[in-house]
Amino acid sequence: MTDRFEQTTTTTCGYCGVGCRLEAHRADGHVVSISPAMDGPANKGHTCLKGRFAHQFARSRDRLTAPLVRESGGFRLASWDEAVAKIADNLGRIKSEHGPDAIAGLASSRATNEDCYVMQRLIRAAVGTHNIDNCSRVCHSPTSFALRKSFGLSGATGSFDDIEQAQVALLIGVNPTQGHPVVGARIKQAALRGLKLITADPRRIELADYGELHMGNRPGTNAALMQGLAHVVIRDELVDRDFIDSRTEGYEAVEELAGTYTPEAVEGITGVPATDIEAAAHMYAEADRACILWGLGVTEHLYGSEVVQLICNLALMTANVGRPGAALLPLRGQNNVQGSSDMGALPDTFTDYRPVTDDAITSAFEERWGVEMKRERGMKIPEMFDAAVAGDLKAMYIFGEDVAQTDPDTAHVQKALESLDFLVCQDIFETETSKYADVVLPASSFLEKTGTFTNAERRLQLVSAAAEPPGSAKTDFEILTMVSAALGYEMGYETPSDVMDEIAEMTPRYAGQSHERIGRGGLQWPVAADGTDSPILYTDHFELPGGKARFAALPYKEPGDAADDDFPLILVTGRRLEHYNAGTMTRRTGNLELLPFDTLEVHPEDAASLGISDGDTVTVRSRRGEIALPVRLTERIERGHVFTAFHFPEVRTNLLVGSSADVNTSCPEYKVIAVSVEPEASAAPLAREPEREREPLIDAL
Ligand SMILES: Nc1nc2c(c(=O)[nH]1)N[C@H]1C(S)=C(S)[C@@H](COP(=O)(O)OP(=O)(O)OC[C@H]3O[C@@H](n4cnc5c(=O)[nH]c(N)nc54)[C@H](O)[C@@H]3O)O[C@H]1N2
Ligand SMILES: Nc1nc2c(c(=O)[nH]1)N[C@H]1C(S)=C(S)[C@@H](COP(=O)(O)OP(=O)(O)OC[C@H]3O[C@@H](n4cnc5c(=O)[nH]c(N)nc54)[C@H](O)[C@@H]3O)O[C@H]1N2
Ligand code: SF4
Ligand SMILES: [Mo]
């Protein structure tokens, strides 16, 4: 079979944060088939339908194959020399007229660690500002914030292998069979072998069918639910006193606060029966080894970061951290969203979350890079858009992020992009965002580049080129270093491996990282200078002053948006198995046949009272905007709630989303949007993408 391929390359999946290791098979210069690598530590010989089949996008006729520059309202093809000179001239002009802080960049969580490190160096050193961020802002920034506050480090405390060792797993606001399907499958298998699952989600997710107990709490009430669980654990003396005394601080205030959250009171807030809260608390706390997994149903809320702190509290009071089978596993989203933040593609931190306000750290990078830098943080993504609308931000360099489709409050984002003097987009396709660009640079997908991704277990894994970039497209590494040189700042790297060596040199917790050491098995950070890695964190101390973890006493507060007579339903947004985020890639694969358009999920009883039936097109209106899409009836959603995704540009879901965001990290409240649903569409009729010639769906296996 293998001799039908001219080459097989072992690499890492570029979709989600599970980090499946893949074998990419090439014929006629293209990747034509993918199979699982049997020794992948996260996937152990499995993949999902995206990693295994959704690779046709790479050879799509829509790929960007040459730079584009804006001319008289449209784009024309340009040479690399012309496009890069245009970027250097415009960024140089804006910097001299308005200062470097009038420029901002976004790094791509779809790209490698090395790409993201180079991007933040480009913005910090070649441009001269800390205005750099990545889409972790709209995703798990609350997780990162809270884990650092409670335990010290910004990453899962254990590994996926802990799932098979646990007796109980609590899943809150995460839907692994859709978002992280290989982990979803591992959980399902573990449940069939005896792992007790507790799920908390306003929708009855598939894994609820494999669990002991499902809690359909109202969107935005996780804090009350966590407090209710803590209340029962404390009241029924299920806490681990020795662990609390020897390894933690601040428990007393938590104990006092939890006293008010009786199961009955919490039932009133969350809608979860008091008896279920009692049962869930006992199941979790009585296990010897229990894991907690969470996702965006926790983070994308007004108090998302506080809920993650409450999750940490529950684990601490029952000593369910730092041991095999007792892990906190936030299921990080994109293939490298963990890594892009680890690399310092954030406005306030360098690598390993070390603050730009720390003089010693900034001085060390100044010396290494030969530049001077400020000691104040730069702008977060929403601040960038506000500054653009206000006229203070003049240019953006957006690398692998489709903000005009995926960020909240689309109308505001569009206004911001229109307000800019100069916009560069570096992507593999034209996107909603690149419509506003002055220069579009054609980059390479994960199948065409080398470097590393860091998965949701903090595991760095190698990415190896299985094919050439199409046309004159270049790798992100080549493009970013070339633009930097054109700005007069040579970085001096020859390959991405040199970048990893600098990361290791500059970052004590990553000291032992190198492409060679990462090898086939990967390395989980921290990595000591001798190469020893860390599958489990906090086995004997936490990474905070004094070595102790910190409890946080945080009461439940109401979500930012609320239903009323005009907007009586709550819209929750999330993911579909077949498509991926902006959908630029999966909509150009056979997955489009599996799911050709999006729908609004409505409970049959709500549909009856609204006078709508399955398949009807409806108008969904929020306080921000309106969209139109067809209805699908399902009993998996609680009454009073509706659900849709955001993978299709023609739907424009995020026109509905407002500016409410997590109090500590500005992560948008994508999960609670008060809406009305009306039978007849008064919004623009649902525009389907024009039929185009399909790519051949070759799959040689
Ligand atoms: N197929 C596919 N896989 C993906 C992606 C994709 O687009 N498609 N995207 C990737 C990315 S970037 C990410 S971040 C991950 C996200 O993966 P998940 O975190 O699993 O993503 P979501 O589906 O957005 O949200 C999870 C669940 O939260 C629930 N929820 C909403 N509000 C609340 C609440 O207040 N309380 C509770 N308890 N639950 C709530 C929703 O009903 C939903 O089932 O997936 C990654 N994997
Ligand atoms: N309503 C609603 N909106 C949401 C969410 C939600 O739950 N509800 N979730 C939010 C979350 S968690 C996230 S992470 C964001 C994701 O939002 P985005 O980051 O905008 O989405 P992606 O589709 O992951 O990828 C962004 C771009 O990267 C490009 N790309 C892929 N690989 C490469 C590469 O190697 N190089 C370059 N240069 N470009 C590449 C793709 O073509 C795409 O245009 O969406 C957010 N938006
Ligand atoms: S589970 Fe995630 S990493 Fe694995 S094949 Fe699917 S999309 Fe890729
Ligand atoms: Mo995400």
Side-chain angles (χ1 to χ4, degrees), residues 339-357:
S340 57
S341 296
D342 296 346
M343 293 300 108
L346 291 170
D348 53 343
T349 53
F350 290 105
T351 52
D352 187 29
Y353 307 89
R354 290 166 305 154
V356 298
T357 49

Side-chain angles (χ1 to χ4, degrees), residues 13 15-16 18-20 22 47-48 50-52 180-182:
C13 181
Y15 283 109
C16 90
V18 174
C20 295
L22 307 175
T47 64
C48 78
K50 290 187 299 300
R52 168 89 169 76
H180 302 80
V182 165

Side-chain angles (χ1 to χ4, degrees), residues 135-136 138-140 296 300 332-334 337 575 580-581:
C135 70
S136 155
V138 300
C139 181
H140 270 277
L296 303 179
E300 288 177 343
R332 303 299 304 264
Q334 290 153 310
V337 68
R575 281 149 177 81
Y580 191 87
N581 291 351

Side-chain angles (χ1 to χ4, degrees), residues 594-608:
L594 299 175
L595 190 73
F597 54 89
D598 213 345
T599 52
L600 183 77
E601 291 178 18
V602 183
H603 192 281
E605 287 174 30
D606 285 333

Side-chain angles (χ1 to χ4, degrees), residues 14 108-112 115 135-136 138-140 296 300 333-334 337 399-403 405-408 426-429 431 441 443-446 449 476 573-575 580-585 644-646 653-654 657 670-671 673:
S108 180
S109 299
R110 307 301 302 283
T112 63
D115 295 337
C135 70
S136 155
V138 300
C139 181
H140 270 277
L296 303 179
E300 288 177 343
Q334 290 153 310
V337 68
F399 156 32
E401 204 170 328
D402 190 6
V403 292
Q405 188 182 335
T406 56
D407 268 43
Q426 177 173 320
D427 207 292
I428 58 174
F429 291 107
T431 64
L441 299 176
S444 305
S445 78
F446 74 98
K449 60 164 95 170
D476 289 300
T573 63
R575 281 149 177 81
Y580 191 87
N581 291 351
T584 54
M585 292 154 75
T644 191
F646 61 105
T653 307
N654 287 352
V657 186
Y670 289 119
K671 301 300 194 228
I673 307 157

Side-chain angles (χ1 to χ4, degrees), residues 559-575:
D561 211 356
D564 62 13
D565 288 347
D566 293 334
F567 300 99
L569 297 164
I570 293 293
L571 169 70
V572 178
T573 63
R575 281 149 177 81

